[in-house]
Amino acid sequence: MIRRHDPGAGRSRQGEVRVPAGHEGFMRLALEEARKALHLGEVPVGAVLVAGGEVVACGFNQPVHQLDPTAHAEIVTLRRAARVLDNYRLAGTTLYVTLEPCLMCVGALVHARVRSVVYGVAEPKGGAIRSILRAEDLAVNHRFDVVEGVLETECRRLIQDFFRFRRETG
């Protein structure tokens, strides 16, 4: 199931919270991770894995720096979390990531049995949750819930500014 995040829709007239609390806070942590990638000259993508309301692991994009094509923010975070939890199955966890995951990362999320994915901005050229394909349509043995559009403006701005700078500086 894919849901669009709407912070205004998260409160009733009486102020009751209906949208799970914390999406914005955890996405801000993912944005901090993305800025670490930016400082290395990497595409600024950051991720945070949460279990029971607590951060288990964080990571950022680093395939160029690590000389590893699989070192996407999501994969780095899943690897760290598996070591912390001493289990490659990450059932019951939520991954917050600034950019819609690619096909490789969606595959890793399925294998890790992540419960839900919350992302900031769509990736029209490589995003595999909604953009180039719909993860919910894959014939796989595990599905995860999705919330899209959390801090979308901030996530989009970070990516756009990075690529604008790269184009301008050659």
Side-chain angles (χ1 to χ4, degrees):
M1 177 177 82
I2 297 177
R3 292 180 295 148
R4 178 93 183 133
H5 178 68
D6 182 356
R11 298 195 180 276
S12 70
R13 290 187 186 140
Q14 294 80 25
E16 294 177 356
V17 176
R18 290 192 319 252
V19 173
H23 284 330
E24 290 87 0
F26 290 123
M27 189 61 75
R28 287 193 194 291
L29 294 175
L31 279 163
E32 288 177 24
E33 290 295 312
R35 289 184 190 96
K36 293 176 184 177
L38 181 66
H39 291 302
L40 288 176
E42 299 274 3
V43 176
V45 179
V48 175
L49 191 80
V50 174
E54 300 290 325
V55 173
V56 175
C58 301
F60 57 88
N61 226 29
Q62 46 194 299
V64 176
H65 186 73
Q66 293 294 325
L67 301 174
D68 179 357
T70 69
H72 290 194
E74 301 93 328
I75 303 293
V76 170
T77 302
L78 293 175
R79 286 177 178 159
R80 289 177 177 167
R83 285 192 297 272
V84 167
L85 298 175
D86 198 30
N87 194 338
Y88 76 105
R89 297 285 196 218
L90 303 172
T93 61
T94 298
L95 182 80
Y96 291 85
V97 61
T98 56
L99 186 68
E100 179 183 5
C102 72
L103 186 57
M104 173 185 69
C105 293
V106 167
L109 292 164
V110 168
H111 286 288
R113 304 296 193 264
V114 169
R115 180 185 62 211
S116 56
V117 175
V118 179
Y119 69 90
V121 67
E123 210 308 42
K125 294 181 181 178
I129 289 181
R130 259 201 115 145
S131 295
I132 63 167
L133 59 86
R134 299 182 71 82
E136 62 199 26
D137 294 338
L138 296 174
V140 294
N141 61 346
H142 174 75
R143 304 215 182 282
F144 48 79
D145 291 329
V146 176
V147 177
E148 62 178 7
V150 176
L151 299 182
E152 182 174 20
T153 301
E154 294 93 327
C155 294
R156 177 178 287 113
R157 186 178 310 122
L158 187 61
I159 291 286
Q160 286 177 337
D161 288 351
F162 171 78
F163 284 109
R164 184 177 303 114
F165 177 78
R166 292 223 0 215
R167 282 191 303 274
E168 291 171 358
T169 60

